[in-house]
Every structure is written in C-alpha cells, then in structure tokens.
Amino acid sequence: MVMPKRVDFDEYCRLLELDGAQEAELRRMFEDYEEKLLKLLSGGDPAVEDELRRQVEAARDDPDALEELKKSVSRRLMKVMTESPADFMALQAERYKKIRSVLDERQRKKARDYVPRSPTGNPLGRLGGGGMFSATVIGDTGDSGGKDK
C-alpha cells in the first residue's frame, strides 16, 4: 500500500480539481472540526480549552511548543478515548460524512493519494487524525504514516 502524500490544503484542492464551493466547504469543515476537537479534548472545561488554544498558538511557529502540544494532545486524547470513545468516534464520523458529501466519486478516488494540511494553519490539523482525512474518504481505515514537513 502506498502511503498518501501530505500536501498543503490549496494544493490538495487543486489536485482534486475542486471548485470554489467545494473548497470553501472543506475549509469550513476543517475549522468546525478543529473547534469541536478542542472542546472535546478540554472536556468542556473553559480554562482547559483556553490553555489548549494558547498551546496551539505557540506551536504554530515553535518546534518545541509543537512537541509540548503533541504530548498534551496525546494525554488528553487517551483520556477521551478511555472515558468517552463514542464522542471522539462520533466527531470523526461526522467529519467523514461531510467530506464524502462534498467530493464526487472521481475526487474521492484521487483523495486516496493525498492528506491535506489544515487550511487554518492550526497545528491540531496535524495532530487530529489528518492521515485519516484522506483514508476514510474512500473507506480505508489505514493511517497515512506521513510526516509534516
């Protein structure tokens, strides 16, 4: 199995030949997903959500802060998966359903080869199942195994 190539969001849209409406809808989906992921990881605690937002902002341009964010998100994701895995799975299922509704069959087939980076520049886009973005569009459950640049 060939691992999907991680590409910038704009390149992803170009490679899949998305029209303006499709691109805008996928951008909204990313933003919505990242917000919901933050809320899920914070456990509904506004102080924790604020701290995660600070970590996300710090991680945008700081490799050390990105490593700290990865550790924090990993701990929080393990807690979510232990305490309420259905919530995380529902969030993923909602995202995948929306993605499938935007892409046509031809685009879904092309999507197998690529994993888009978040159009928002949010490091959570790299941590929150980005490899699954492409794979689940086509019904595959494999991980991209790709690394960000």
Side-chain angles (χ1 to χ4, degrees):
M1 180 174 145
V2 176
M3 295 297 161
K5 179 183 177 186
R6 187 170 293 275
V7 296
D8 289 330
F9 184 80
D10 291 338
E11 183 179 0
Y12 180 79
C13 294
R14 184 183 57 74
L15 290 165
L16 270 59
E17 301 175 32
L18 302 183
D19 63 33
Q22 289 173 305
E23 180 176 343
E25 185 61 25
L26 285 183
R27 282 182 191 278
R28 280 190 297 276
M29 284 182 208
F30 254 104
E31 291 168 4
D32 182 54
Y33 173 78
E34 290 165 357
E35 282 298 312
K36 288 179 179 180
L37 182 60
L38 268 175
K39 291 184 184 320
L40 183 63
L41 292 173
S42 71
D45 182 334
V48 173
E49 186 176 333
D50 287 345
E51 177 56 29
L52 279 171
R53 286 183 191 284
R54 282 191 291 279
Q55 288 178 335
V56 164
E57 286 306 312
R60 286 185 190 271
D61 299 314
D62 182 345
D64 293 333
L66 180 59
E67 288 305 311
E68 286 304 310
L69 177 64
K70 286 179 182 179
K71 290 175 189 173
S72 177
V73 168
S74 293
R75 283 190 302 272
R76 293 180 186 289
L77 189 55
M78 290 305 294
K79 183 177 180 182
V80 167
M81 293 303 290
T82 304
E83 296 176 1
S84 54
D87 293 341
F88 181 73
M89 299 309 286
L91 178 60
Q92 295 297 344
E94 175 188 340
R95 180 170 80 154
Y96 305 147
K97 183 178 178 180
K98 287 179 181 178
I99 293 167
R100 285 187 196 103
S101 73
V102 171
L103 302 180
D104 65 28
E105 183 64 30
R106 179 186 54 79
Q107 292 164 330
R108 286 192 295 269
K109 286 181 181 178
K110 281 186 174 184
R112 295 175 190 177
D113 297 330
Y114 306 101
V115 176
R117 291 183 181 88
S118 171
T120 67
N122 186 334
L124 279 179
R126 294 185 253 171
L127 307 174
M132 294 164 38
F133 185 97
S134 177
T136 55
V137 167
I138 55 153
D140 187 0
T141 57
D143 191 345
S144 73
K147 297 189 181 200
D148 289 337
K149 54 179 175 175

